[in-house]
Amino acid sequence: MMVRIGNFFFRYRNGLFPVVMVLMFVPSPKLFSQDLVAAGLGLAVALVGQLIRAITIGLAYIIRGGKNRQVYAETLVQEGIFAHCRNPLYVGNILVILGLGLVSNSLLFALIGVPFFLFVYWTIVAAEENFLRQKFGADFDAYCQRVSRFIPNLSGIVKTCQGMEFKWRRLIVKEYGSTYAWMAAACALMIKARWLDIRTFADLRVQVLGGVFALITVAYLAARYLKKSGTLVAD
């Protein structure tokens, strides 16, 4: 049952996820009385999630998104951060989503959105593990015995990072879009919170956030141009 549900979410997640993320912008009771506290905590959590994703992709890339919107894998990747956690990209995703939820300071998202995403990722992992077990058999079972599903084992992680070449070009090419999406959303959420308090855009905090939004947009467009032009190619 969980595998079937996971396959469904894997197939339609690109359409479902943005719909649920909209809950962050819906008027709701606050989690924290101070929006700045919520924003600070949220950004810290999201940045940790982004760091996990960045290190994972830079060291050992795994094909994401499946094939034809279905779970797929060519090889059983066990190098890099995958030697310490079986699903580091999903751990990063969850932390980014939790971070954005905190930035939104929305009780509504905390009660509906967070449980939704936790359930979705749990079922997707079940579907992926079912696929990997059928394809790689005993090798995957041995991998599961060595490495935790979600909780990273930090033992030896420095040696892992030092023993592999970090692929900066691959990181930029593969990650610029999703990084921009959550950072832009965080800026929008903080601008919304400030505007609801003062009802004007003539405010230093709003202007600074607008400037940050403009800078990350320029960075996104530059990365997109370099990728599309072939100037920057994943190695």
Side-chain angles (χ1 to χ4, degrees), residues 50 53 171 174-185 216:
Q50 183 61 65
R53 287 183 56 83
L171 173 61
K174 301 297 183 182
E175 192 69 355
Y176 76 93
S178 59
T179 303
Y180 171 74
W182 79 259
M183 287 187 171
I216 62 175

Side-chain angles (χ1 to χ4, degrees), residues 134-188:
Q134 290 182 0
K135 182 166 185 175
F136 300 107
D139 287 341
F140 181 69
D141 288 334
Y143 176 52
C144 291
Q145 291 178 359
R146 295 195 313 272
V147 181
S148 169
R149 179 183 285 122
F150 292 116
I151 306 300
N153 177 8
L154 300 181
S155 176
I157 197 166
V158 173
K159 183 178 180 180
T160 296
C161 294
Q162 292 176 341
M164 299 183 68
E165 179 184 1
F166 193 87
K167 305 289 187 178
W168 288 100
R169 290 185 179 85
R170 179 171 65 201
L171 173 61
I172 295 172
V173 169
K174 301 297 183 182
E175 192 69 355
Y176 76 93
S178 59
T179 303
Y180 171 74
W182 79 259
M183 287 187 171
C187 285

Side-chain angles (χ1 to χ4, degrees), residues 115-128:
F116 170 80
F117 281 107
L118 292 176
F119 176 72
V120 166
Y121 278 116
W122 187 271
T123 61
I124 287 177
V125 167
E128 290 183 341

Side-chain angles (χ1 to χ4, degrees), residues 72-75 129-138 140:
Y72 177 78
E74 294 178 352
T75 60
E129 289 187 346
N130 179 69
F131 174 88
L132 294 172
R133 184 165 284 110
Q134 290 182 0
K135 182 166 185 175
F136 300 107
F140 181 69

Side-chain angles (χ1 to χ4, degrees), residues 3-16:
V3 171
R4 290 200 299 272
I5 295 173
N7 283 323
F8 170 83
F9 281 130
F10 190 94
R11 184 176 182 86
Y12 296 107
R13 58 184 172 174
N14 289 340
L16 289 172

Side-chain angles (χ1 to χ4, degrees), residues 13-68:
R13 58 184 172 174
N14 289 340
L16 289 172
F17 282 15
V19 173
V20 180
M21 297 289 277
V22 169
L23 288 175
M24 294 182 184
F25 293 90
V26 175
S28 164
K30 294 184 177 182
L31 291 169
F32 300 90
S33 60
Q34 296 293 324
D35 289 320
L36 275 177
V37 172
L41 290 173
L43 289 174
V45 172
L47 286 171
V48 170
Q50 183 61 65
L51 179 62
I52 292 172
R53 287 183 56 83
I55 296 173
T56 301
I57 294 169
L59 291 180
Y61 182 65
I62 184 171
I63 295 177
R64 296 172 291 163
K67 187 176 183 180
N68 298 322

